[in-house]
Amino acid sequence: TECFEAGIQTFALLFTRWMDTNEWSHPTMVTLAKHAMNGVGWLHSSQISGLRHGRLMSPGPRTFYAIEQLNYYVWRYATTQKLIPNTDRSNDYRNAFAITEDGKPPTIGWWVAVFCGQITPKDIDLRASFFTPEQATTVSRNWAT
Protein backbone atom coordinates (compact mmCIF):
# COMPACT_ATOMS: atom_id res chain seq x y z
CA THR A 1 0.00 0.00 0.00
CA GLU A 2 0.93 3.65 -0.28
CA CYS A 3 1.40 4.01 3.49
CA PHE A 4 3.83 1.07 3.55
CA GLU A 5 5.86 2.44 0.64
CA ALA A 6 6.08 5.84 2.35
CA GLY A 7 7.20 4.11 5.55
CA ILE A 8 10.05 2.36 3.77
CA GLN A 9 11.27 5.71 2.42
CA THR A 10 10.91 7.41 5.82
CA PHE A 11 12.85 4.57 7.42
CA ALA A 12 15.55 4.90 4.74
CA LEU A 13 15.94 8.59 5.54
CA LEU A 14 16.00 7.92 9.29
CA PHE A 15 18.46 5.04 9.02
CA THR A 16 20.75 6.97 6.68
CA ARG A 17 20.69 10.03 8.94
CA TRP A 18 21.60 7.85 11.93
CA MET A 19 24.52 6.18 10.14
CA ASP A 20 25.83 9.36 8.58
CA THR A 21 25.64 11.37 11.80
CA ASN A 22 27.63 8.69 13.59
CA GLU A 23 30.01 8.45 10.61
CA TRP A 24 29.53 4.69 10.41
CA SER A 25 30.54 2.62 7.45
CA HIS A 26 28.68 -0.64 6.83
CA PRO A 27 31.43 -2.74 8.48
CA THR A 28 31.52 -0.45 11.51
CA MET A 29 27.76 -0.69 11.98
CA VAL A 30 27.81 -4.47 11.56
CA THR A 31 30.54 -4.76 14.18
CA LEU A 32 28.87 -2.42 16.66
CA ALA A 33 25.51 -4.16 16.27
CA LYS A 34 27.21 -7.49 16.87
CA HIS A 35 28.81 -6.12 20.06
CA ALA A 36 25.46 -4.71 21.20
CA MET A 37 23.96 -8.17 20.64
CA ASN A 38 26.64 -9.98 22.70
CA GLY A 39 28.32 -11.43 19.63
CA VAL A 40 25.20 -12.34 17.66
CA GLY A 41 25.46 -11.06 14.08
CA TRP A 42 21.90 -10.31 13.04
CA LEU A 43 22.65 -7.17 11.04
CA HIS A 44 24.54 -7.58 7.77
CA SER A 45 25.99 -5.16 5.25
CA SER A 46 23.50 -6.18 2.55
CA GLN A 47 20.61 -5.40 4.92
CA ILE A 48 22.16 -2.05 5.79
CA SER A 49 22.44 -1.18 2.11
CA GLY A 50 18.87 -2.24 1.45
CA LEU A 51 17.56 -0.21 4.39
CA ARG A 52 19.56 2.90 3.45
CA HIS A 53 18.30 2.81 -0.14
CA GLY A 54 14.72 1.79 0.60
CA ARG A 55 15.07 -1.49 -1.27
CA LEU A 56 14.79 -4.00 1.57
CA MET A 57 11.06 -4.66 1.55
CA SER A 58 10.72 -7.24 4.32
CA PRO A 59 13.47 -7.17 6.94
CA GLY A 60 12.92 -9.75 9.64
CA PRO A 61 12.43 -9.19 13.36
CA ARG A 62 16.09 -9.96 14.04
CA THR A 63 17.14 -7.01 11.90
CA PHE A 64 14.88 -4.64 13.82
CA TYR A 65 16.02 -6.09 17.14
CA ALA A 66 19.69 -5.54 16.25
CA ILE A 67 18.92 -1.95 15.20
CA GLU A 68 16.96 -1.30 18.39
CA GLN A 69 19.70 -2.73 20.60
CA LEU A 70 22.48 -0.78 18.88
CA ASN A 71 20.48 2.43 19.12
CA TYR A 72 19.77 1.80 22.81
CA TYR A 73 23.46 1.35 23.60
CA VAL A 74 24.43 4.42 21.57
CA TRP A 75 21.82 6.39 23.53
CA ARG A 76 23.17 4.96 26.79
CA TYR A 77 26.69 6.01 25.80
CA ALA A 78 25.51 9.50 24.85
CA THR A 79 23.76 9.94 28.20
CA THR A 80 26.11 8.09 30.61
CA GLN A 81 29.40 7.58 28.71
CA LYS A 82 29.08 3.83 29.41
CA LEU A 83 30.59 1.92 26.48
CA ILE A 84 28.68 -0.40 24.19
CA PRO A 85 29.06 -3.94 25.58
CA ASN A 86 32.13 -5.82 24.43
CA THR A 87 33.92 -2.67 23.26
CA ASP A 88 36.93 -1.12 24.90
CA ARG A 89 36.88 2.27 23.22
CA SER A 90 34.39 4.70 21.80
CA ASN A 91 36.16 5.73 18.58
CA ASP A 92 33.50 4.10 16.41
CA TYR A 93 30.67 5.89 18.18
CA ARG A 94 32.35 9.02 19.46
CA ASN A 95 29.56 11.22 18.07
CA ALA A 96 27.01 9.08 19.94
CA PHE A 97 23.91 10.21 18.09
CA ALA A 98 20.95 7.99 18.93
CA ILE A 99 17.50 8.10 17.44
CA THR A 100 15.03 9.10 20.13
CA GLU A 101 11.31 9.51 20.56
CA ASP A 102 10.34 11.91 23.32
CA GLY A 103 14.00 11.90 24.35
CA LYS A 104 14.24 8.14 24.92
CA PRO A 105 15.45 5.33 22.65
CA PRO A 106 12.41 3.81 20.94
CA THR A 107 11.29 0.21 21.25
CA ILE A 108 11.56 -2.44 18.56
CA GLY A 109 7.86 -1.91 17.85
CA TRP A 110 8.49 1.74 17.08
CA TRP A 111 11.17 0.85 14.52
CA VAL A 112 8.81 -1.63 12.84
CA ALA A 113 5.95 0.90 12.88
CA VAL A 114 8.15 3.55 11.23
CA PHE A 115 9.18 1.03 8.57
CA CYS A 116 5.53 0.09 7.94
CA GLY A 117 4.45 3.73 7.69
CA GLN A 118 2.37 3.70 10.86
CA ILE A 119 4.53 6.22 12.76
CA THR A 120 6.46 9.30 11.68
CA PRO A 121 9.44 10.10 13.93
CA LYS A 122 8.80 13.15 16.14
CA ASP A 123 12.24 13.94 17.56
CA ILE A 124 13.99 14.38 14.22
CA ASP A 125 12.98 16.41 11.18
CA LEU A 126 13.91 14.26 8.22
CA ARG A 127 12.90 16.97 5.74
CA ALA A 128 15.45 19.49 7.00
CA SER A 129 18.84 19.77 5.38
CA PHE A 130 21.21 17.94 7.63
CA PHE A 131 24.72 18.86 6.55
CA THR A 132 26.03 22.23 5.49
CA PRO A 133 27.88 22.07 2.17
CA GLU A 134 31.19 22.17 4.06
CA GLN A 135 30.13 19.30 6.33
CA ALA A 136 28.95 17.28 3.34
CA THR A 137 32.36 17.73 1.70
CA THR A 138 34.11 16.55 4.87
CA VAL A 139 31.80 13.53 5.25
CA SER A 140 32.30 12.60 1.59
CA ARG A 141 36.06 12.93 1.92
CA ASN A 142 36.05 10.75 5.07
CA TRP A 143 34.01 8.05 3.33
CA ALA A 144 36.47 8.01 0.45
CA THR A 145 39.43 7.20 2.70
Side-chain angles (χ1 to χ4, degrees):
T1 69
E2 192 173 307
C3 182
F4 184 76
E5 295 295 324
I8 292 170
Q9 295 311 309
T10 298
F11 193 92
L13 288 171
L14 179 70
F15 194 76
T16 299
R17 174 79 52 93
W18 185 39
M19 282 187 70
D20 291 351
T21 302
N22 285 304
E23 299 178 6
W24 289 338
S25 64
H26 290 212
T28 297
M29 188 173 210
V30 167
T31 299
L32 289 175
K34 190 172 183 177
H35 286 307
M37 298 284 299
N38 289 317
V40 178
W42 284 350
L43 187 62
H44 305 284
S45 186
S46 61
Q47 294 165 319
I48 291 168
S49 179
L51 290 169
R52 283 180 63 93
H53 295 97
R55 290 190 298 245
L56 185 59
M57 297 298 154
S58 57
R62 291 177 174 189
T63 301
F64 288 112
Y65 185 62
I67 291 167
E68 183 271 335
Q69 286 292 284
L70 177 55
N71 188 65
Y72 167 78
Y73 284 115
V74 169
W75 173 82
R76 186 182 76 170
Y77 178 78
T79 58
T80 68
Q81 296 299 291
K82 189 171 181 182
L83 295 174
I84 292 175
N86 309 305
T87 64
D88 59 4
R89 60 185 170 85
S90 64
N91 288 349
D92 290 333
Y93 50 99
R94 65 189 171 277
N95 294 326
F97 173 77
I99 301 299
T100 61
E101 193 72 356
D102 298 322
K104 299 286 184 189
T107 66
I108 188 174
W110 181 90
W111 290 94
V112 172
V114 169
F115 185 86
C116 293
Q118 299 299 303
I119 292 175
T120 301
K122 296 186 294 186
D123 283 8
I124 186 170
D125 183 358
L126 296 172
R127 297 166 297 159
S129 176
F130 188 65
F131 293 113
T132 66
E134 295 79 23
Q135 290 171 320
T137 299
T138 300
V139 168
S140 293
R141 191 175 308 118
N142 289 342
W143 278 98
T145 59

